[in-house]
């Protein structure tokens, strides 16, 4: 007869991942690698925004990019054209990247000479918000066609982000997107969020975003 | 999709616990799930069945989910109210200055091993 034992666990489902993420964050700090986690729904403009970001910052920082997708390497091929170091990660059907997968990606990227590592997470506003990747800063993109009510529908994503980029502002005249309401909804969930309207296609607003990012990297380096 | 991801996480960490305790199998896992966590119990159960079939330790592991009610606290009047029914606005004083007291938990409470 087998002996049955009950073990009290009492830990969050995310506890293991949170610990791995905290370890990774510390390790990256020692190596001097700033990790940015970029999230949005599919089609909000992550890759185009990333291309603009690399273009504006590649003379200041050595940039490495990790493209996480369920399948394909179309984004990695696009990013490669920018001249940045890039690696494609496949999540094997999973809807998000966790800290362990991020670590494997960084190993694959051979980050020793990278100063700014950018993780383009799987396009999804739910799951990536639950899993800390070990990033120093989290940024998300909300695009105008998605609507200004998204902060109400996906509160966790908006509450964990340091910056919200509102993309595709060139099409504002064609949509019922209320920018003031959107700001109000975001700040209701996250009073500290920095909100920057951009258009990745035309480049509008990109300099404000890259300036913010460059300063964050600098102050992160200066901090003990 | 999300449910499958968290099932893998739960199984990975509970496999570790089972090995540490020299168990040959896991017969039960009890979770505490907040009413407003982003996880849907029926999906979780389906994913659990599928994933358990692929792992020896979980072959006959039952998943028990205990629901924790969501409660919101109002800074405006100091009272609490059920979150699912009233959302962000306090039903007592109509203040939007409220925060979730409990209800987004997603914990592993205990496991039964043999």
């Amino acid at each position: 007869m087998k002996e049955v034992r009950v073990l009290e666990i009492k830990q969050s489902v995310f506890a293991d991942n949170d610990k791995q993420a905290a370890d990774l964050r510390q390790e990256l700090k020692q190596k001097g690698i700033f990790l940015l986690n970029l999230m949005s729904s599919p089609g909000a403009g992550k890759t185009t925004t990333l291309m603009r970001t690399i273009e504006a910052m590649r003379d200041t920082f050595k940039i490495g990019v990790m493209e996480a997708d369920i399948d394909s390497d179309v984004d990695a091929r696009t990013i490669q054209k920018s001249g940045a170091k890039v690696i494609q990660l496949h999540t094997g059907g999973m809807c998000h990247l966790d800290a362990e997968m991020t670590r494997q990606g960084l190993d694959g990227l051979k980050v020793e000479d990278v100063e700014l590592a950018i993780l383009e997470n799987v396009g999804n506003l739910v799951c990536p918000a639950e899993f800390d990747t070990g990033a120093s800063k989290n940024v998300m993109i909300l695009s105008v066609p998605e609507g200004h009510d998204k902060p109400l529908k996906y509160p966790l994503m908006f509450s964990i982000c340091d910056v919200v980029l509102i993309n595709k502002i060139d099409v504002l005249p064609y949509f019922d997107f209320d920018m003031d309401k959107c700001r109000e909804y975001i700040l209701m969930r996250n009073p500290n969020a920095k909100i920057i309207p951009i258009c990745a296609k035309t480049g509008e607003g990109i300099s404000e975003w890259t300036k913010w990012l460059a300063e964050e990297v600098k102050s992160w380096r200066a901090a003990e | 999709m999300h449910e499958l991801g968290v099932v893998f996480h739960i199984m990975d960490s509970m496999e570790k616990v089972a090995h540490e305790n020299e168990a040959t199998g896991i017969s039960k896992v009890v979770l505490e799930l907040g009413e407003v966590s982003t996880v849907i119990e029926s999906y979780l159960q389906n994913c659990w069945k599928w994933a358990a079939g692929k792992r020896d330790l979980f072959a006959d592991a039952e998943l028990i989910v205990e629901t924790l009610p969501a409660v919101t606290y109002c800074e405006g009047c100091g009272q609490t109210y059920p979150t699912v029914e009233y959302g962000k606005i306090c039903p007592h004083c109509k203040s939007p200055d409220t925060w979730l007291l409990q209800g987004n938990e997603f914990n592993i409470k205990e496991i039964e091993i043999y």
Side-chain angles (χ1 to χ4, degrees):
Chain A
M1 209 182 113
K2 53 194 185 181
E3 182 202 349
V4 174
R5 284 175 288 163
V6 174
L7 304 178
E8 192 172 86
I9 306 291
K10 281 221 180 287
Q11 70 169 39
S12 163
V13 167
F14 305 110
D16 278 3
N17 185 65
D18 288 348
K19 163 128 198 354
Q20 285 166 354
D23 292 349
L24 181 59
R25 206 168 359 253
Q26 178 134 26
E27 215 175 287
L28 290 176
K29 176 78 189 160
Q30 280 161 3
K31 289 183 180 164
I33 301 159
F34 185 97
L35 176 63
L36 180 76
N37 179 20
L38 173 62
M39 296 171 285
S40 82
S41 22
K46 287 189 293 301
T47 310
T48 312
T49 304
L50 205 44
M51 288 294 278
R52 286 280 181 189
T53 308
I54 294 167
E55 203 178 293
M57 300 184 82
R58 65 186 161 201
D59 295 336
T60 320
F61 300 106
K62 282 183 196 134
I63 303 175
V65 176
M66 293 178 284
E67 286 290 337
D69 282 297
I70 289 173
D71 205 350
S72 98
D73 61 353
V74 288
D75 286 350
R77 283 175 187 277
T78 308
I79 296 295
Q80 206 154 34
K81 291 181 197 148
S82 71
K85 235 176 154 178
V86 61
I87 185 172
Q88 177 76 51
L89 308 176
H90 283 159
T91 59
M94 297 273 269
C95 47
H96 62 273
L97 224 71
D98 61 22
E100 183 52 36
M101 288 188 267
T102 306
R103 176 190 292 277
Q104 288 169 11
L106 287 164
D107 288 346
L109 198 58
K110 300 193 174 49
V111 283
E112 305 314 324
D113 59 340
V114 166
E115 296 163 305
L116 171 60
I118 305 176
L119 168 65
E120 184 179 331
N121 216 313
V122 181
N124 181 332
L125 289 184
V126 183
C127 321
E130 302 252 38
F131 287 89
D132 188 347
T133 57
S136 310
K137 291 286 168 188
N138 292 310
V139 53
M140 73 162 293
I141 302 172
L142 172 68
S143 64
V144 166
E146 291 171 70
H148 60 257
D149 58 355
K150 290 298 166 291
L152 300 179
K153 294 187 177 179
Y154 303 93
L156 185 63
M157 176 57 80
F158 286 86
S159 65
I160 62 143
C161 278
D162 301 286
V163 180
V164 179
L165 300 175
I166 301 182
N167 192 23
K168 307 189 188 179
I169 52 169
D170 56 330
V171 298
L172 270 171
Y174 308 103
F175 287 86
D176 299 325
F177 187 96
D178 188 328
M179 188 64 85
D180 292 335
K181 276 237 153 47
C182 189
R183 282 179 187 275
E184 182 192 325
Y185 293 157
I186 294 169
L187 295 175
M188 198 163 99
R189 298 299 175 189
N190 183 356
N192 302 317
K194 166 107 180 141
I195 301 166
I196 308 174
I198 62 164
C199 177
K201 196 174 158 194
T202 63
E204 194 180 345
I206 293 293
S207 61
E208 188 187 349
W209 150 242
T210 52
K211 191 166 162 262
W212 179 89
L213 182 55
E215 302 212 330
E216 284 298 319
V217 177
K218 276 178 208 151
S219 56
W220 174 83
R221 280 179 177 170
E224 274 309 307
Chain B
M1 268 205 312
H2 184 50
E3 279 72 8
L4 187 57
V6 298
V7 161
F8 286 151
H9 271 269
I10 295 167
M11 288 187 168
D12 286 346
S13 50
M14 288 309 100
E15 257 171 17
K16 264 187 245 162
V17 172
H19 285 307
E20 281 161 18
N21 288 278
E22 292 165 359
T24 53
I26 297 171
S27 46
K28 195 192 281 182
V29 174
V30 183
L31 303 180
E32 289 174 332
L33 186 64
E35 247 183 330
V36 295
S37 71
T38 55
V39 172
I40 298 173
E41 190 191 335
S42 59
Y43 294 176
L44 196 65
Q45 290 285 6
N46 280 335
C47 293
W48 181 268
K49 273 181 213 138
W50 182 83
K54 298 194 176 304
R55 298 193 187 208
D56 293 342
L57 276 174
F58 290 87
D60 51 3
E62 185 189 3
L63 178 68
I64 308 279
V65 178
E66 295 178 358
T67 306
L68 297 175
V71 179
T72 296
Y73 176 81
C74 174
E75 289 283 353
C77 66
Q79 297 186 75
T80 61
Y81 63 88
T83 312
V84 174
E85 201 177 340
Y86 299 104
K88 183 91 180 108
I89 307 294
C90 175
H92 308 295
C93 72
K94 308 288 174 225
S95 166
D97 191 9
T98 59
W99 46 269
L100 193 68
L101 203 59
Q102 67 159 55
N104 61 356
E105 295 80 2
F106 191 15
N107 301 325
I108 305 168
K109 188 182 174 191
E110 59 184 37
I111 66 168
E112 197 179 274
I113 55 170
Y114 56 84

